[in-house]
Amino acid sequence: MRDVVIIGAGPAGLSAAIACREWDLSVLIIDEFPKPGGRLLGQLHQEPDGEWWNGIKEAGKLLNHATELGADIRCGVSAHHIEKADNGFKVHTDAGVFDAEQLLIATGAAESAAPIPGWTLPGVMSIGAAQVMTNVHRVRVGERGIVVGVNVLSAAIARELDLAGTELHSMVLPAKNPVTKHYGDPGEVMDGLARIAHMAPSRILRFGSILARAGWVRRLAVRLYPKRGVKVWGIPVHIRKAALKINGRDRVESVTVCNIDPAGKPIEGSERTIPVDFVCIAGGLYPLAELAAVAGCPFRYIEELGGHVPVHNERMETPIDGLYVAGNITGIESAKVAAAQGRLAGLSIVRHRAKDKAGLGQRIDEAMRHVTAIREQATIQFHPEVDKGRSKMENIFKEYRKAT
Amino acid sequence: MIICRCEEVTLEDIRDTFHTYKCSAREVKLRTRAGMGYCGGRTCRPAVDAVLEEVTGEKPGDDLPLKVQPPVRPVSLSVLGGDGDHA
Amino acid sequence: MRNRRIEEHPVLGSLRNRKAVSFTFDGKTCEGREGDTIASALLAHGIRQLRVHEESGRPRGIYCNIGHCFECRVTVDGKAGVRACMTEIREGMAVESGKVLPSPLNSSVFEADEMPRTYAEFAGKQKGDNKKEAPDA
């Protein structure tokens, strides 16, 4: 029996492990990816001061710290079930069953699909797949590609592909269908673009971002959007063009793209076939929470947090005694927020074990304030109203506690 | 257009099933197997939910819409049988 | 074909001579680098198709590349259902692509309505139609 098992060796899991080891709890971290670091691996962006923030390096720092403190980290281990036992949890994995007094689930996020016809062909991949292939495995995903789906994440990764010398023809929206009704809507996408405008200076985007709160301005920006697209980091970004289908026999050969009206409706006769050998689909992220579900944790649907989220409080505790969550499983935010949440979860775990050891309460308060501060400093938000989502969850937790 | 990649369930399959059987979102999933393939619905769950919301009018509930059942990863019977050591 | 390896990267730096590892894919010898997954080593050779859909035979390759979608499952040293994107290559590893499997329950072969829906129905059919004892459970 270990004091703590942590599922997920990303920024949240590793930071939690460090906090637990500082207080001498025995810690096992498992992760199904062959390398530790989670989705920190592959992230690469320029900070406002111009410095590059390299996720591989950040993961290395956390890993070294956790290893020095004696955390047991096992990669390539896949958990498929969690059982609540009398004095803790049984974590069922393909490498055996691990017993834990307390359990932290830090499994991050998964990508939502934006299906368009032909998306099962080899050469079509999620945008995150391209990021990992490029920055972690250092293999080019193709000669020339197109990104379907324009959002904060896909714009950042498109820049990374460009940086690695992979040619992108353009970024376009997915054709509207019941699944893509939001990602395929030029107005909604313009809102999202406006939020990264400060990072990718462009007149029309700034125009959109400063005044986008007024609906008419946004509509105007969508109507006036240049036919040739707006270059963001050198890549033409189109919100008035959509990918109708991906063509090819055994692999991607081309994409059929058309012009769309401001409501996202295809304009007949404007179809064009663009030869490419890869396509990246970007449908956004949602919290990957299936293990919390099988562990019996209650859920709520909170759009601002990215979907169904396990009920938890601001100390990362769930209503199940001894079960904690941290990182993107609690809502889609940056890796820095995930790391801050991980440290907080670790301290909460320590307090559960050590009861009222001197100073712990104060440290938890500090860690909570740190999470908020990091969130406020974030240069981009996956959802503009993440704060609202967080306070909704806080109230839900309180109500849930009252009701049970 | 395929929605569920594992079971190759198309948007048309989901619509046709709903119109033929006039059934709930859950029953559409059971009949078509959308979201019930090898990956356990991780790839298409939000997509299947979005289609079902439009087709059946059912909003996503507070519970996970597709009830998650263990194992959440495919495992061999030897692993389930406890062949693995108690680590 | 152009080398797909990103040997030099303006921020991530140079790929220092990572050790070569050889393995086979459907019997053909491929060379990857230490730390490659099966999926990345194959893509470096321009190989995208890792399996076909077990029923329709349509080609599939990686989709999520982080173990969620299972689209890249292959057979490794006889073990089926292994994710190419999550498995690092080892010297001498034998990787086989996924093939079409028989689909005996496909409704184009059997009328779905005539299939037994419960074990009792199945056992009854066995007794009645074939005059055979239902196997002891």
Side-chain angles (χ1 to χ4, degrees), chain B residues 5-6 8 38-39 42-43 73-74, chain C residues 53 56 58 60 63 68-71:
Chain B
R5 298 170 64 108
C6 296
E8 294 202 336
Y38 208 103
C39 85
R42 250 182 312 281
T43 310
R73 294 287 186 280
Chain C
H53 189 269
S56 72
R58 289 192 190 101
R60 298 293 176 94
Y63 179 69
H68 294 160
C69 75
F70 286 81
E71 283 283 20

Side-chain angles (χ1 to χ4, degrees), chain A residues 32 78-81 93 96-99 113 115-117 119-120 177-179 286 288 290-291 293-294 299-301 308, chain B residues 1-3 5 11 15 42-43 46-47 50-51 54 61-65 68-73 75 79-80 85-87:
Chain A
E32 61 179 343
S78 188
H80 59 261
H81 188 30
T93 77
V97 181
F98 299 103
D99 293 310
I116 56 171
W119 75 301
T120 56
N177 62 46
V179 182
Y286 75 94
L288 183 60
E290 54 204 2
L291 283 170
V294 297
F299 277 77
R300 288 294 182 273
Y301 183 84
H308 285 92
Chain B
M1 178 180 70
I2 288 173
I3 298 287
R5 298 170 64 108
L11 179 60
R15 282 189 172 138
R42 250 182 312 281
T43 310
V51 174
E54 180 169 302
D62 280 338
D63 295 320
L64 275 179
V68 179
Q69 300 285 4
V72 299
R73 294 287 186 280
V75 287
V79 168
L80 276 185
D85 287 337
H86 214 74

Side-chain angles (χ1 to χ4, degrees), chain C residues 8 14 16 21 26 41 48-49 54 61 63 65-66 76 79 84 90-92 96 104 108 115 132-133:
Chain C
E8 300 298 327
S14 171
R16 268 160 279 116
V21 176
D26 285 343
R48 292 193 186 277
Q49 184 177 323
E54 288 75 359
Y63 179 69
N65 204 20
I66 55 166
V76 175
K79 193 179 172 216
R90 288 184 315 270
E91 190 63 39
E96 294 286 329
S108 62
M115 297 293 288
K132 267 188 219 157
E133 286 296 306

